[in-house]
């Protein structure tokens, strides 16, 4: 019986027999073949056993340590602590596949799903409830492939937020792709917005045309890609805090001038104003010869007016970005980190305001621009530490903290993907109720998980260094107990594979061998080029 395996035993709780599940945490050999006879590596164990007259099969005795999870209460639909240990001699059994498949995830099994024997609920052959919105992530790692499929309730992590944490190359982006596929299936039809700093999700469009994604009424998932040319930010959508984060070290006096001018511009009915109009307003307020406004003019023109990201009138309608059954990927790999953060800041703020308007109404808010989103949203951030850094140096951090702390009430979920948990803002990370944790060896990152992830007990942390790519611990609100899984194969291709360096080198070398060198090109080009090269060489 392997470490990590689930076992079960029976106890009497309030007069009723209950099957208690426990997870094996350690295994030590208590009795085997005599060590003195096994010291010679030239003697086969079978020979030693035959000489002693000992059977060679099933003779080892192991001492097991296990953590009690509890018995599944079909009325509470979660595990309950039996508060008693098994009596010596109690028979231990391997937990049935069907039982684990049904009760490990937080999908709610009641008496109607279980078989009743002699008036008692029997979970040994319970079927996974046939319910919509269950994401098939993979299977239990300690069993045969496919023996115990692991389904995660999408409603749970979409409401209480998600963190996918893993070292580079462990499969975090692949796993995120699996969850995105599950969210776009016909029984979910999510509205999904993906912030993609590296262009890793350009293969999701393969979902269209695949039978597994087709549903009633001709449903097929939409996959839309937005590049930087489609992601310009209207200047009037920036907050004063956004602008302060862009400018180079403005003095207190400059900040005072900018605050006064910005507030005045925001009171105007027109939203199509820019740096020129803002400067006119500030010069009118503080005088044409105000040195602080003059210094601000130089900073505003360089940081905003000359940046193609900002414009005075373009504003991508939210209805073009998000819709049920649509996965929108924002491809930002050609933008600087600061511009990526600014896009996230403005879009998240607009989306959040639109969800607030749908749930609570915003007619009295002067900053509300009339947009309403009457369906839940889920935003996924690749390289999440860029947008919510532990240092606090990102304009997007404030709105991400707001969404992770309050978004559940308004149907706005958020997912963080990162290889450096220690670099993520701890407030944001601690609010991610479901965690998919893969191989992590860095002690600092392990400590960050331990301090911020409530479900990350010692058992979870102990597993992390030994995981291989594609293996993960799923824990938190979506699971009744942490579960070690093998992530399933994706339906679409993975777009974030490492570049095969040796092949690229060989190809590049061959290409360079076939091209003339600079000196050969100069010789072929005539005397002027050759002479110029000689002059450069002499110099």
């Amino acid at each position: 019986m392997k470490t990590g395996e689930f076992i079960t035993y029976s106890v009497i709780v309030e007069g009723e027999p209950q099957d208690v599940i426990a997870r094996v945490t350690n295994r030590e050999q208590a009795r085997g073949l005599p060590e003195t006879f096994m010291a010679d590596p030239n003697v086969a164990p079978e020979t030693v056993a035959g000489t002693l007259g000992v059977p060679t099969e099933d003779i080892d005795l192991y001492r097991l340590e296990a953590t009690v999870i509890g018995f599944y209460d079909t009325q509470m639909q979660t595990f309950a602590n039996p508060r008693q240990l098994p009596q010596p001699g109690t028979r231990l059994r391997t937990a049935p596949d069907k039982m684990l498949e049904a009760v490990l995830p937080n999908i709610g099994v009641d008496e109607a799903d279980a078989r009743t024997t002699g008036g008692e609920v029997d979970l040994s052959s319970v079927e996974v409830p046939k319910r919509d919105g269950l994401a098939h992530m993979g299977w239990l790692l300690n069993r045969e492939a496919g023996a115990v499929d692991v389904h995660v309730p999408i409603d749970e992590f979409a409401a209480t937020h998600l963190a996918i944490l893993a070292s580079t190359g462990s499969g975090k982006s692949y796993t995120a792709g699996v969850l995105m596929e599950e969210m776009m299936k016909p029984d979910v039809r999510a509205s999904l917005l993906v912030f993609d700093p590296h262009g890793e999700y350009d293969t999701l469009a393969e979902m269209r045309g695949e039978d597994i994604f087709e549903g009633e009424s001709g449903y097929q998932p939409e996959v839309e890609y937005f590049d930087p040319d489609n992601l310009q930010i209207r200047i009037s959508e920036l907050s004063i805090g956004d602008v302060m984060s862009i400018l180079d070290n403005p003095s207190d006096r400059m900040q005072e001038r900018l605050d006064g001018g910005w507030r005045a511009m925001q009171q105007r009915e027109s939203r199509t104003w820019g740096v020129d109009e803002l400067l006119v307003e500030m010069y009118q307020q503080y005088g044409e010869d105000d040195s602080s406004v003059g210094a601000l003019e130089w900073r505003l023109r360089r940081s905003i007016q000359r940046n193609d990201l900002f414009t005075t009138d373009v504003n991508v309608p939210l209805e073009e970005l998000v819709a049920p059954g649509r996965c929108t990927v924002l491809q930002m790999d050609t933008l600087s980190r600061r511009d990526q953060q600014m896009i996230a800041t403005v879009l998240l703020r607009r989306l959040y305001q639109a969800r607030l308007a749908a749930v609570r109404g915003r007619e009295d808010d002067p900053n509300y621009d009339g947009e309403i989103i009457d369906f839940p949203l889920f935003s996924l951030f690749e390289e999440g530490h860029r947008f919510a850094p532990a240092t606090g140096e990102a304009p997007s951090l404030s709105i991400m903290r707001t969404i992770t702390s309050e978004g559940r009430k308004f149907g706005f979920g958020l997912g963080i993907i990162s290889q450096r948990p220690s670099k993520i803002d701890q407030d944001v990370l601690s609010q991610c109720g479901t965690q998919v944790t893969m191989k992590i060896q860095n002690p600092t990152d392990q400590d960050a998980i331990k301090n911020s992830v409530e479900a990350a007990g010692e058992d979870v942390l102990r597993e992390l260094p030994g995981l291989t790519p594609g293996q993960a611990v799923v824990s938190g609100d979506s699971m009744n107990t942490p579960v070690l899984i093998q992530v399933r194969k994706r339906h679409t291709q993975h777009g974030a594979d490492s570049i095969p360096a040796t092949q690229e080198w060989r190809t590049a070398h061959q290409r360079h061998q076939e091209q003339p060198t600079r000196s050969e090109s100069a010789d072929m080009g005539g005397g002027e080029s050759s002479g110029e090269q000689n002059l450069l060489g002499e110099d």
Side-chain angles (χ1 to χ4, degrees), residues 233-450:
I233 297 172
R234 192 169 62 189
I235 293 174
S236 62
E237 293 173 343
L238 299 173
S239 70
I240 186 65
D242 298 337
V243 181
M244 294 296 186
S245 69
I246 297 172
L247 302 183
D248 293 330
N249 298 319
S251 66
D252 292 343
R253 189 179 181 87
M254 290 182 205
Q255 294 182 41
E256 178 186 349
R257 299 289 194 261
L258 181 60
D259 184 68
W262 201 269
R263 290 180 184 276
M265 296 304 296
Q266 287 183 324
Q267 298 301 316
R268 299 187 179 186
E269 292 186 6
S270 173
R271 298 289 183 181
T272 57
W273 53 267
V275 170
D276 289 337
E277 292 79 5
L278 173 63
L279 289 170
V280 169
E281 174 65 33
M282 287 193 293
Y283 279 125
Q284 288 178 349
Q285 286 190 36
Y286 305 108
E288 294 289 338
D289 58 349
D290 190 281
S291 59
S292 295
V293 176
L296 275 172
E297 178 175 0
W298 177 78
R299 286 170 168 80
L300 288 167
R301 294 196 186 283
R302 187 184 69 169
S303 301
I304 296 180
Q305 194 172 52
R306 297 172 188 170
N307 187 337
D308 293 337
L309 179 66
F310 302 105
T311 183
T312 59
D313 54 2
V314 174
N315 186 30
V316 179
L318 294 184
E319 63 184 16
E320 293 184 11
L321 281 174
V322 294
R326 179 184 300 168
C327 174
T328 302
V329 181
L330 308 182
Q331 296 180 311
M332 303 186 291
D333 48 310
T334 60
L335 295 176
S336 68
R337 176 174 298 200
R338 178 60 57 153
D339 285 353
Q340 292 174 1
Q341 294 169 346
M342 195 57 62
I343 288 174
T345 303
V346 174
L347 285 182
L348 286 178
R349 191 161 55 223
R350 287 178 60 198
L351 291 166
Y352 188 64
Q353 291 173 349
R355 282 300 296 151
L356 284 176
V359 176
R360 289 187 173 177
R362 299 294 300 278
E363 293 80 2
D364 299 332
D365 188 342
N367 296 320
Y368 173 55
D369 60 5
E371 293 181 298
I372 292 179
I373 297 177
D374 59 357
F375 48 84
L377 301 171
F378 190 79
S379 294
L380 194 61
F381 287 82
E382 182 68 55
E383 298 288 331
H385 54 274
R386 290 191 175 198
F387 302 95
T391 60
E393 298 176 354
S396 49
L397 176 57
S398 177
I399 184 61
M400 292 182 74
R401 282 177 173 172
T402 299
I403 292 174
T404 52
S405 63
E406 302 179 9
R408 181 174 187 173
K409 297 178 291 187
F410 307 110
F412 198 157
L414 188 147
I416 293 285
I417 308 168
S418 178
Q419 70 268 25
R420 293 305 310 272
S422 61
K423 292 188 176 182
I424 302 175
D425 177 73
Q426 297 302 292
D427 288 340
V428 171
L429 184 58
S430 65
Q431 293 289 340
C432 293
T434 296
Q435 306 84 34
V436 180
T437 316
M438 309 180 86
K439 183 176 182 178
I440 292 181
Q441 292 181 308
N442 187 296
T444 303
D445 290 327
Q446 290 184 11
D447 287 342
I449 294 174
K450 181 178 180 180

Side-chain angles (χ1 to χ4, degrees), residues 123-140:
L123 291 173
S124 61
S125 59
V126 65
E127 295 290 337
V128 175
K130 303 298 182 183
R131 297 175 188 157
D132 293 338
L134 298 181
H136 178 215
M137 285 197 65
W139 56 86
L140 197 63

Side-chain angles (χ1 to χ4, degrees), residues 22 29 48 81 121 177 200 222 227 255 257 306 318 419 435 465 503 529:
Q29 190 177 53
V48 175
N81 191 332
V121 177
E200 297 182 1
E222 299 178 49
D227 59 27
Q255 294 182 41
R257 299 289 194 261
R306 297 172 188 170
L318 294 184
Q419 70 268 25
Q435 306 84 34
Q503 178 181 337
S529 297

Side-chain angles (χ1 to χ4, degrees), residues 15-170:
E16 298 290 338
Q18 299 288 353
D19 288 331
V20 178
I21 295 177
R23 182 192 299 108
V24 176
T25 57
N26 191 35
R27 185 181 79 157
E28 295 180 356
Q29 190 177 53
R31 187 189 70 199
L33 291 173
E35 295 180 0
T36 53
F37 288 95
M38 297 295 294
D40 187 351
N42 296 316
V43 179
E46 292 81 3
T47 302
V48 175
T51 302
L52 296 174
V54 176
T56 59
E57 296 181 0
D58 299 326
I59 65 167
D60 290 345
L61 180 66
Y62 289 91
R63 179 180 295 107
L64 300 180
E65 294 180 10
T67 299
V68 174
I69 299 171
F71 63 92
Y72 191 84
D73 190 320
T74 54
Q75 293 183 345
M76 297 175 56
Q77 296 189 0
T78 188
F79 283 109
N81 191 332
R83 300 192 181 280
Q84 56 180 293
L85 296 175
Q87 295 294 324
T90 299
R91 183 179 180 183
L92 301 180
R93 304 178 300 276
T94 301
D97 292 343
K98 292 297 183 182
M99 176 192 290
L100 295 179
E101 195 168 297
V103 303
L104 293 181
N106 184 14
I107 57 180
V109 176
D110 55 31
E111 293 186 12
D113 299 311
R115 184 178 65 186
T116 301
T117 304
E120 299 174 358
V121 177
D122 181 7
L123 291 173
S124 61
S125 59
V126 65
E127 295 290 337
V128 175
K130 303 298 182 183
R131 297 175 188 157
D132 293 338
L134 298 181
H136 178 215
M137 285 197 65
W139 56 86
L140 197 63
L141 189 61
N142 289 311
R143 301 287 173 95
E144 293 291 330
V148 180
D149 288 326
V150 176
H151 297 81
V152 179
I154 293 174
D155 283 344
E156 286 295 331
F157 70 75
T160 61
H161 314 298
L162 170 73
I164 302 177
L165 309 172
S167 300
T168 300
S170 297

